[in-house]
Amino acid sequence: MKITDKMKPTKSILILTDFSRSAKNASEYGTHLAKQLNANILLFNSFLIPDLGFDSWPSAHHESLLQQSKKSLEEEVARLHGISQHDNEEFETKIDYLSSEGAIAENVSAIIKDKQNIFMVVMGGCKANDNDDILFGVEITEILSKVKCPTVIVPESECFQF
């Protein structure tokens, strides 16, 4: 059986967000990149349950954090749809979202393993105190060491022309 372009699985870019200014800049960059590469987007937010020393975190609070994450993701998806409509008209980028509790590097690795069509990760990086060095914090370092696909770290203040 011959596989046509329509039958091929569509590749996707996994864009990580914490809804900060830096993450929004990276989301915009990833959206333009997805259009150029004819790829879809999976927007992902990972949140942690605070460790207050209790044996268990009340489930109502977990549900509240999950709902807030999903609401913020839906707002970001709507914003990115507005951006993507001005790009390449030949390909319509589909933007989906996912939210999960836990450590970001482990979650990202699991998503890439599970989804099989993610070929790139895009995330924001913030600048260290008033200098031009990008701060490679714990999360970025863990993602770079655990994720087995190309990862693009977009500087917070960069604005890219496509």
Side-chain angles (χ1 to χ4, degrees):
M1 179 169 130
K2 184 177 178 181
I3 297 177
T4 66
D5 285 341
K6 289 185 180 183
M7 295 170 66
K8 289 181 185 176
T10 304
K11 56 190 174 186
S12 293
I13 297 174
L14 179 63
I15 300 177
L16 310 182
T17 186
D18 61 3
F19 313 109
S20 65
R21 189 179 91 180
S22 176
K24 288 183 182 220
N25 188 49
S27 295
E28 290 174 18
Y29 176 83
T31 299
H32 291 298
L33 188 60
K35 278 294 208 180
Q36 297 295 317
L37 299 173
N38 293 338
N40 290 324
I41 293 170
L42 178 59
L43 189 63
F44 177 67
N45 172 250
S46 186
F47 61 92
L48 289 173
I49 301 295
D51 183 9
L52 300 175
F54 299 117
D55 288 339
S56 65
W57 182 258
S59 61
H61 294 291
H62 178 270
E63 188 61 30
S64 174
L65 288 172
L66 180 62
Q67 291 306 317
Q68 180 58 46
S69 176
K70 286 183 178 181
K71 180 179 182 247
S72 296
L73 282 166
E74 289 169 354
E75 291 170 358
E76 184 66 355
V77 166
R79 187 179 77 83
L80 296 176
H81 271 299
I83 291 168
S84 70
Q85 289 177 347
H86 301 293
D87 286 343
N88 179 359
E89 297 297 326
E90 296 172 15
F91 180 80
E92 183 179 344
T93 299
K94 293 182 179 115
I95 305 173
D96 201 1
Y97 66 89
L98 181 63
S99 179
S100 181
E101 185 272 328
I104 191 164
E106 284 78 17
N107 283 340
V108 170
S109 294
I111 291 168
I112 291 169
K113 184 178 178 182
D114 182 51
K115 298 290 183 188
Q116 304 267 329
N117 66 336
I118 293 174
F119 74 100
M120 178 185 296
V121 175
V122 174
M123 63 186 294
C126 52
K127 293 189 178 226
N129 303 322
D130 294 331
N131 66 32
D132 292 332
D133 297 330
I134 293 179
L135 176 64
F136 284 85
V138 174
E139 290 86 7
I140 293 174
T141 302
E142 285 188 23
I143 288 170
L144 292 174
S145 68
K146 292 181 181 178
V147 172
K148 303 300 181 209
C149 71
T151 303
V152 176
I153 301 169
V154 181
E156 178 179 23
S157 62
E158 294 300 320
C159 182
F160 299 93
Q161 300 297 320
F162 284 86

